[in-house]
Amino acid sequence: MGSLRKKMDGIRDQMAGTRYPDSSVTPLTAMELRDALLAVNGPDVPFVVSQAHFADKADLVAEWQVWEPAYGSGSSPKHVERKFKVRMRFVPSIREVQSIDEQWTVTWAGNPGIWAESREYSRGQVIEVSWRGSYERGPDGRRHKVETFRYDTRAMKDPLRDTVVGAGWTWRGVMRMSKW
């Protein structure tokens, strides 16, 4: 019975994106980890890591808002607005950072976008990739994909998770708010 429980926990960890630190890493204190996560901010990252508000029930929050390029033609092109948030709570007693993702997506129609055509909300562990591009002939005469826009939630989650694991803490993705 114990091995089945362990296997189920492993599957749950894999689905939630849980990562464990290498045993050779000396763990940082909670304050040092907080400072390291805040240091992820910079001009090269499209998101912001900040102190969480009381309503977030977290220690730190990373947020990313993006407008995708318009698509469609005519009098009502469509614009997609995405807001992605990762809430992080520190559990110093077991050196663990629990994270939960939230994403809001609104598709606006018209030029400028004046009415919401659709709205979506996701919570848990969100992996979303959206891209725009075309195919063009390269110098070698072959067709190549030329990307003009990319939105990938892993561009935000990976640096956060790598910072936590590199600091000797466990990154645990939670699937439900009940843990909060």
Side-chain angles (χ1 to χ4, degrees), residues 97-117:
V97 173
Q98 296 175 351
S99 74
I100 191 161
D101 307 341
E102 292 180 291
Q103 179 174 265
W104 297 263
T105 305
V106 181
T107 302
W108 298 93
N111 192 11
I114 51 175
W115 56 277
E117 186 173 272

Side-chain angles (χ1 to χ4, degrees), residues 158-172:
D158 290 353
L160 299 172
R161 184 187 61 230
D162 294 346
T163 300
V164 168
V165 172
W169 287 52
T170 298
W171 173 271
R172 183 169 308 280

Side-chain angles (χ1 to χ4, degrees), residues 64 66 129-132 145 147-152 154:
W64 187 9
V66 67
V129 178
S130 176
W131 69 276
R132 298 270 192 307
K145 180 172 74 172
E147 203 170 84
T148 57
F149 170 80
R150 175 175 281 280
Y151 168 80
D152 187 343
R154 292 172 294 194

Side-chain angles (χ1 to χ4, degrees), residues 117-133:
E117 186 173 272
S118 68
R119 297 172 191 264
E120 295 176 27
Y121 174 73
S122 305
R123 179 179 65 207
Q125 295 300 308
V126 177
I127 297 177
E128 178 93 22
V129 178
S130 176
W131 69 276
R132 298 270 192 307

